[in-house]
Amino acid sequence: MEHNDNTLRLEDSTIQPIPAHERHGKASDLFTIWFGTNVMLLTVVTGALVVTVFKQPFWWGTLAIVVGNLVGAVFMALHAAQGPQLGVPQMVQTRGQFGSLGSLLVVGLVVVMYVGFFASNLVLGGQSLHSLSSAVTVNQGVVAVGLLSLVATIFGYRLIHVYTRLLTWCAGAVLVLAFAWIIFVHGLPADLLSKNAPSLTGFLGSMSIAALWQIAYAPYVSDYSRYLPADTGPRVAFWASYGGCTLGSIFPMVLGALVGLTVEGDDIVKSLSTLTQGISPLVIIVLTLGIAATNAMNLYCGALSTITIVQTLRPSWSAKAAARAACACLLFGIALTIALAGQDNFLATYTHFILLLLCVMVPWTAVNLVDYYLVRHGQYDVDSFFRQDGGIYGRFNGVAIFSYAFGIAVQLPFVATDLYTGPVAKMLDGADISWIVGLILTSVVYYACQKRFAPIPAPMALP
């Protein structure tokens, strides 16, 4: 663990490239940040969707959770090598695919995603604290969890890493304790293996939710690996991130599926408290601390992405800690407003939100990964990322923008939500395979068009 003087020192850098003398840490830090981040209440709620919203039996829903996480995490973890290699946040690196101005649309959508997850976590955090004591209102709990996250964001990278390292041990132990308590003390639900009936539609929906949980982390990954030494091996970085994110997600989601069998309405926290009665305050408090850690990551990445947008328009601006704090406060205010106003019907709203993310995040991750691994083989001119004209990448990369738009459009016939169901999804009885189609076709189209229409310039420094 790093010395407290370093941990509690304000991180001065924001989106600037991290020089070699400031690089520190090891690949195992990627395991703890992704494991510690995922063991929280929102992960439990997401797992509960497989038996509450998608109406799957426990065993069938658990299989969907495992498959979805294992598949989705491949794409998330492939981004891990980009941070040590390039030393910049993920959304800055996106300029290498979309151009300096072309990247603004993607970065803007990612900021919306961060704010959405932050607000969702605030609602859960507030509800969980209220469930422990009626003296604490949901709104007071929302504000308390948000302020904890804001403090960690202001201090920055080191404190967030240390926080998740501690949570890996604490929350991991509480997760094991919760399972043991439910099995050996409270007792498993009587209808554990009989409630609900398996269906292909529900299985694919459950698997998609789990896969998106992982894919949605793709814009975060380089933000938390960019300080690692440049010689950090890509395989080591991949497996550390993959292992942390899958293990940290699968077990809380399975717990959520277990809890979901006993839920009345959409109060997952209440059902979790009932199943762990006797140790529920410990379980709820620790998983709520996990929410604060995860929200610190959401807010931190959102602040960096907001700075990226402004710096794109004002290339001479070199934002430091004060700018990150100001952006964090702005985003915190927006998310807090959403959380305080949108507490009712939370579960349904959250489901619509993450399904919508499928359409906009899948084609971005396809373009980014194909460009990094198959087109440019990790070789980029970082200096060009910070030029207003985009340097060798230009202001717009028409191929990337077309491929991204194509990736969104091609998914629409396969989308299945309460808001919209495409014609192919209707033929499949509501099964949603849009993310699979989007990943495959966007990757193929981008690779073919980039090779055919956009010769790759040499990555060299420009004056």
Side-chain angles (χ1 to χ4, degrees):
M1 185 178 293
E2 294 177 58
H3 191 276
N4 286 340
D5 288 346
N6 289 329
T7 300
L8 297 178
R9 187 180 67 197
L10 281 174
E11 178 195 4
D12 197 39
S13 297
T14 56
I15 66 172
Q16 302 86 359
I18 307 302
H21 70 274
E22 292 185 19
R23 300 293 187 96
H24 62 275
K26 50 191 182 299
S28 60
D29 294 336
L30 298 178
F31 179 92
T32 55
I33 197 161
W34 294 115
F35 186 93
T37 294
N38 281 287
V39 184
M40 60 159 179
L41 279 173
L42 192 62
T43 324
V44 176
V45 168
T46 301
L49 297 178
V50 305
V51 297
T52 57
V53 173
F54 297 104
K55 305 297 182 183
Q56 295 305 287
F58 175 76
W59 57 274
W60 196 236
T62 296
L63 178 62
I65 286 170
V66 172
V67 172
N69 276 289
L70 292 180
V71 173
V74 171
F75 303 97
M76 171 270 178
L78 283 171
H79 292 279
Q82 299 178 8
Q85 174 76 11
L86 302 174
V88 295
Q90 194 75 62
M91 288 298 102
V92 172
Q93 192 259 349
T94 296
R95 294 170 176 173
Q97 290 94 48
F98 289 83
S100 60
L101 298 181
S103 67
L104 288 178
L105 173 62
V106 178
V107 181
L109 289 172
V110 166
V111 172
V112 172
M113 181 191 77
Y114 290 135
V115 171
F117 275 126
F118 191 98
S120 299
N121 275 323
L122 286 180
V123 172
L124 267 185
Q127 291 176 345
S128 65
L129 292 179
H130 175 66
S131 72
L132 293 176
S133 173
S134 58
V136 179
T137 67
V138 173
N139 287 352
Q140 289 171 339
V142 165
V143 173
V145 172
L147 290 176
L148 282 174
S149 306
L150 180 61
V151 170
T153 301
I154 289 173
F155 278 94
Y157 181 93
R158 289 182 182 86
L159 184 57
I160 293 174
H161 262 284
V162 170
Y163 194 3
T164 53
R165 195 176 302 137
L166 291 172
L167 277 172
T168 293
W169 293 102
C170 297
V174 166
L175 186 64
V176 172
L177 178 60
F179 272 112
W181 194 272
I182 293 172
I183 295 171
F184 299 110
V185 179
H186 181 278
L188 293 168
D191 56 356
L192 175 67
L193 299 179
S194 60
K195 187 173 183 178
N196 297 333
S199 68
L200 178 61
T201 299
F203 180 85
L204 290 175
S206 302
M207 184 181 68
S208 295
I209 289 294
L212 175 63
W213 181 267
Q214 298 291 338
I215 294 172
Y217 277 125
Y220 297 65
V221 183
S222 286
D223 295 11
Y224 295 99
S225 65
R226 73 192 198 279
Y227 277 90
L228 292 177
D231 61 358
T232 301
R235 283 188 175 86
V236 175
F238 173 89
W239 287 113
S241 301
Y242 186 84
C245 218
T246 52
L247 293 176
S249 302
I250 289 172
F251 290 110
M253 286 188 186
V254 172
L255 176 62
L258 191 60
V259 171
L261 293 172
T262 65
V263 72
E264 296 180 4
D266 62 357
D267 196 342
I268 303 299
V269 176
K270 181 179 179 180
S271 296
L272 177 61
S273 297
T274 300
L275 290 179
T276 58
Q277 188 173 6
I279 60 167
S280 58
L282 174 65
V283 173
I284 299 301
I285 288 172
V286 171
L287 294 182
T288 301
L289 290 175
I291 284 180
T294 303
N295 259 2
M297 293 181 67
N298 281 312
L299 199 55
Y300 179 84
C301 294
L304 295 186
S305 295
T306 302
I307 290 171
T308 300
I309 292 173
V310 177
Q311 194 274 336
T312 301
L313 303 175
R314 292 184 56 196
S316 60
W317 184 46
S318 183
K320 298 294 184 181
R324 184 179 65 248
C327 290
C329 289
L330 173 63
L331 296 179
F332 170 70
I334 295 172
L336 183 63
T337 302
I338 295 172
L340 294 176
Q343 297 171 25
D344 297 335
N345 203 24
F346 164 72
L347 198 59
T349 303
Y350 173 62
T351 305
H352 294 324
F353 173 67
I354 56 179
L355 286 172
L356 178 62
L357 282 179
L358 278 170
C359 286
V360 298
M361 292 312 305
V362 162
W364 170 80
T365 202
V367 168
N368 182 274
L369 292 178
V370 168
D371 190 80
Y372 185 89
Y373 286 100
L374 301 180
V375 176
R376 304 184 196 273
H377 306 287
Q379 300 301 310
Y380 290 85
D381 175 35
V382 175
D383 289 341
S384 288
F385 293 164
F386 296 90
R387 292 172 60 105
Q388 188 173 37
D389 62 3
I392 62 175
Y393 306 111
R395 289 183 171 86
F396 298 94
N397 178 359
V399 169
I401 295 170
F402 168 77
S403 301
Y404 181 73
F406 169 82
I408 294 176
V410 77
Q411 292 178 80
L412 295 179
F414 300 88
V415 168
T417 68
D418 289 344
L419 300 177
Y420 167 78
T421 299
V424 178
K426 290 178 181 177
M427 293 172 57
L428 297 174
D429 295 325
D432 190 329
I433 59 171
S434 59
W435 64 279
I436 300 174
V437 174
L439 275 172
I440 294 173
L441 294 185
T442 304
S443 298
V444 171
V445 167
Y446 178 73
Y447 182 79
C449 291
Q450 188 72 25
K451 287 291 189 180
R452 174 66 178 84
F453 300 110
I456 305 303
M460 61 182 185
L462 297 177

